[in-house]
Amino acid sequence: MAEKFDAIVVGAGPSGNAAAYTMAKAGLKVLQLERGEYPGSKNVQGAILYSDALEKIIPDFRDDAPLERHIIEQRMWVLDDESYVGSNYRSDDFNKPPYNRYTIIRAQFDKWFSEKVQEAGAMLICETTVSDLLMDGKRVIGVQTDRLGGSIYADIVILADGVNSLLATKAGFHPELEPKNVALAVKEIHFMPQETVEARFNVNGDAGVVIEMAGKITKGMMGTGFLYTNKESLTIGVGCMLSDLKQQKITPYQLLEEMKAHPSIAPILEGGEMKEYTAHLIPEGGYKAIPELCGDGWMIVGDSGMFVNAMHREGSNLAMTTGCFAAETVIELAAEQKPFTAKNLARYREKLNESFVIKDLKKYKNMPDVFHANPQFFTTYPEMLNQAAHKMLRVDGIDKKTKEKQIMANFKQRRSLFGLMGDAYKLWRAFE
Amino acid sequence: MSTNVKVEEKLFQNRYRVDAGRPHIQIKDEELCASECETQQCTVCCPAGCYTLEGNGRVVLITDGCLECGTCRIICNDHRNVAWEYPRGGYGVLFKFG
């Protein structure tokens, strides 16, 4: 395989597929390498697809992409051990095409996206792990695969190899990931008849609901839970920061098991058949944890570049957008006959800076620090909130004014007035 | 709580192609786990329960059920005692849904 390509893309997830598709479409000779049996067989996500990013790449994706349900309602739950306080947003506007977001099953979606990439002209080789980058001094000139005689050369290598980017770490492009910058999520998929899903969530047709959860389900760890409706299955999962899990004695699967047993969640899952258990790291370090994104002959896209907006549970859209920007940079430079040097590739970073990707990540740059330093957001507050709701809603002959006083006294006792104001200020500052 | 669960029952639902005799993750120095690591947190945090703590304080690693998440590699940041590679192409866990 001494063949030379214009570009090699490592990985066939959303960012790699977006990059390979865009470059192949522009007529570049693109090779994509995937370590799984087929694209998607190694990939895990919640999974929600935001249509905007994909629409920009494949405008008519709705014609044949494997989509589960379009989301018409989002629920936010704050849980303590026995109850939840929640808010719902449901809109008929979300129920009109073109739909804004969908639940997907990644193994199916990635396979479909990859077929589009191949139709666009890129060459895909699966069951091939890239073990090293080939270097000429500081410049990346190709990849070493685990196949016999597997050195392959290209003018540019795009690393779309996911959160565990061993290649970038080994090459010294970015430091080893730290536990405070990644969350571990574990997830199960539970199958049940389509009618059951629809009855339990009050939806019909292809409409669906997502529930995001915070509170005592994470045992004081910084993290969240989620429950998404698919066509004839539900995905349920919970994720916590590794730095917090490192202090705990509870295993991730036990955490998930206890969440499933919560009195507000168990009835939703009842009768379902669990068919897969997965785990995945999510790069949640935010803006401050973004590594160097390009150098001589290389670029980083997607999870490998920390492109996840943890506050809004967005990831695959950032992945596709960064993949596109990287590809567009390559296409432009090739057209201008400019070499892929760090200086020229810096145009990729400029594109990112001007887009929602960096703007959003920058907006929440202090969020991880605030939550790390203030675990009460995941313990005391959910409990206080639930207790307050319980007190106000239980009719028991006590007047409401007295109840309000009791609730406020409880708040002050547990957190002090100063503490409450301080926390509100910290949140406000972080969201600014 | 009555929800204690064996992770093996969960992993049983998954599809794997095991690269027999070629584990993709190895403990670099077993002695170090037993003598220098205070928490042996890999035995708690691994979502596939690949790491088990033996009675004598030793950590045993069996990678057959590995979900390839990378938690062990990152959580062992005090000692960096995990040699972590991806499985050879085509081997390891094969998600049906992902």
Side-chain angles (χ1 to χ4, degrees):
Chain A
M1 277 202 263
E3 214 177 335
K4 187 169 172 246
F5 291 83
D6 292 328
I8 292 174
V9 177
V10 184
S15 68
N17 282 339
Y21 181 89
T22 308
M23 290 188 294
K25 195 106 181 154
L28 297 182
K29 191 175 167 193
V30 179
L31 172 69
Q32 195 177 19
L33 297 165
E34 163 59 44
R35 66 189 183 88
E37 183 182 45
Y38 58 87
S41 67
K42 294 288 186 184
N43 302 344
V44 175
Q45 190 196 349
I48 291 189
L49 171 81
Y50 300 98
S51 49
D52 179 70
L54 181 59
E55 212 162 16
K56 290 193 165 99
I57 306 166
I58 306 176
D60 58 355
F61 76 92
R62 292 180 179 87
D63 293 348
D64 56 356
L67 306 166
E68 292 286 308
R69 290 178 181 275
H70 64 269
I71 305 305
I72 62 158
E73 179 177 328
Q74 166 125 1
R75 302 179 188 171
M76 301 287 295
W77 286 6
V78 179
L79 301 97
D80 77 352
D81 290 327
E82 278 154 10
S83 59
Y84 75 84
V85 175
S87 67
N88 295 3
Y89 178 71
R90 183 173 181 134
S91 169
D92 196 44
D93 187 49
F94 271 157
N95 204 14
K96 290 177 186 135
Y99 304 119
N100 180 258
R101 57 186 67 182
Y102 299 86
T103 45
I104 53 169
I105 287 177
R106 274 290 296 275
Q108 294 164 8
F109 177 80
D110 289 2
K111 200 186 233 174
W112 167 85
F113 197 173
S114 175
E115 280 160 16
K116 296 285 165 189
V117 174
Q118 292 167 74
E119 282 168 25
M123 182 187 200
L124 170 74
I125 304 180
C126 289
E127 302 197 331
T128 303
T129 303
V130 174
S131 47
D132 276 301
L133 294 173
L134 298 172
M135 313 284 294
D136 177 12
K138 268 178 66 191
R139 190 163 65 96
V140 173
I141 53 167
V143 298
Q144 180 67 43
T145 73
D146 63 353
R147 286 179 184 260
L148 205 61
S151 307
I152 316 173
Y153 297 89
D155 293 327
I156 180 90
V157 174
I158 296 182
L159 297 174
D161 53 344
V163 59
N164 276 302
S165 182
L166 294 190
L167 291 171
T169 314
K170 265 196 227 169
F173 297 159
H174 64 60
E176 188 57 271
L177 287 168
E178 291 175 54
K180 74 178 172 72
N181 288 335
V182 280
L184 169 66
V186 289
K187 188 189 84 171
E188 290 177 359
I189 187 161
H190 291 249
F191 280 79
M192 58 187 67
Q194 192 168 335
E195 310 84 72
T196 310
V197 174
E198 287 166 14
R200 282 181 190 175
F201 288 87
N202 187 25
V203 289
N204 49 37
D206 290 332
V209 174
V210 305
I211 311 178
E212 306 285 355
M213 303 175 219
K216 288 191 78 184
I217 43 165
T218 57
K219 315 261 175 208
M221 291 184 275
M222 175 176 167
T224 52
F226 59 89
L227 200 162
Y228 300 158
T229 56
N230 302 317
K231 198 154 277 170
E232 47 185 9
S233 63
L234 304 176
T235 51
I236 180 161
V238 60
C240 295
M241 299 308 291
L242 267 192
S243 46
D244 287 0
L245 266 166
K246 213 181 154 171
Q247 316 288 332
Q248 288 274 336
K249 284 292 158 211
I250 187 162
T251 62
Y253 39 93
Q254 187 63 29
L255 195 68
L256 178 59
E257 213 55 30
E258 290 181 18
M259 177 180 161
K260 281 161 53 190
H262 190 283
S264 302
I265 297 172
I268 300 176
L269 297 174
E270 201 185 303
E273 193 189 346
M274 197 278 267
K275 289 206 175 168
E276 191 169 71
Y277 165 68
T278 58
H280 190 58
L281 291 181
I282 307 168
E284 294 199 357
Y287 181 76
K288 291 178 182 173
I290 296 174
E292 280 292 318
L293 295 171
C294 57
D296 294 334
W298 59 273
M299 279 192 279
I300 290 176
V301 296
D303 272 8
S304 178
M306 268 292 153
F307 291 117
V308 164
N309 180 345
M311 281 306 297
H312 288 268
R313 330 304 301 158
E314 292 177 30
S316 59
N317 56 330
L318 279 69
M320 288 186 228
T321 303
T322 57
C324 270
F325 286 161
E328 284 165 11
T329 306
V330 169
I331 294 162
E332 286 168 20
L333 292 177
E336 294 163 24
Q337 295 185 320
K338 286 184 179 161
F340 300 122
T341 58
K343 190 164 162 282
N344 289 337
L345 290 170
R347 208 181 283 186
Y348 167 48
R349 178 70 200 212
E350 287 161 22
K351 287 183 200 294
L352 289 168
N353 287 346
E354 287 161 19
S355 76
F356 77 95
V357 173
I358 292 292
K359 282 179 185 167
D360 282 355
L361 290 175
K362 216 170 186 173
K363 174 170 159 62
Y364 298 118
K365 65 178 189 296
N366 294 321
M367 219 61 211
D369 297 337
V370 169
F371 281 137
H372 277 304
N374 298 281
Q376 66 271 18
F377 286 117
F378 298 93
T379 49
T380 316
Y381 283 128
E383 217 163 55
M384 293 195 316
L385 192 62
N386 277 273
Q387 282 166 359
H390 186 82
K391 212 176 224 345
M392 288 309 279
L393 295 171
R394 179 177 280 272
V395 174
D396 52 8
I398 300 171
D399 67 282
K400 304 299 185 232
K401 186 84 188 164
T402 303
K403 288 191 178 199
E404 271 176 19
K405 276 185 189 156
Q406 286 173 347
I407 289 167
M408 208 50 216
N410 180 35
F411 272 38
K412 280 189 215 162
Q413 184 210 339
R414 298 198 54 183
R415 206 41 217 146
S416 86
L417 197 57
F418 208 67
L420 287 171
M421 282 162 53
D423 288 343
Y425 179 72
K426 277 179 239 166
L427 268 187
W428 174 70
R429 287 282 300 173
F431 270 105
E432 205 178 16
Chain B
M1 220 179 239
S2 60
T3 51
N4 277 320
V5 66
K6 279 199 158 83
V7 71
E8 292 81 2
E9 288 168 17
K10 292 179 186 287
L11 299 175
F12 181 71
Q13 298 295 330
N14 296 352
R15 196 178 144 225
Y16 293 94
R17 198 162 137 219
V18 175
D19 199 356
R22 291 180 65 156
H24 62 286
I25 306 171
Q26 282 176 317
I27 295 172
K28 290 184 197 166
D29 176 2
E30 288 178 19
E31 200 54 48
L32 194 148
C33 298
S35 61
E36 305 213 2
C37 184
E38 282 169 22
T39 58
Q40 295 163 327
Q41 201 63 7
C42 54
T43 62
V44 176
C45 294
C46 171
C50 292
Y51 295 81
T52 43
L53 189 58
E54 300 283 287
N56 56 9
R58 296 198 160 266
V59 176
V60 173
L61 165 64
I62 297 170
T63 59
D64 290 3
C66 178
L67 298 164
E68 297 168 31
C69 67
T71 295
C72 55
R73 189 171 73 82
I74 292 156
I75 212 140
C76 190
N77 60 333
D78 298 325
H79 301 287
R80 299 250 182 260
N81 200 28
V82 180
W84 203 98
E85 291 289 338
Y86 283 112
R88 279 198 291 162
Y91 287 94
V93 70
L94 295 161
F95 296 119
K96 296 168 286 183
F97 308 105

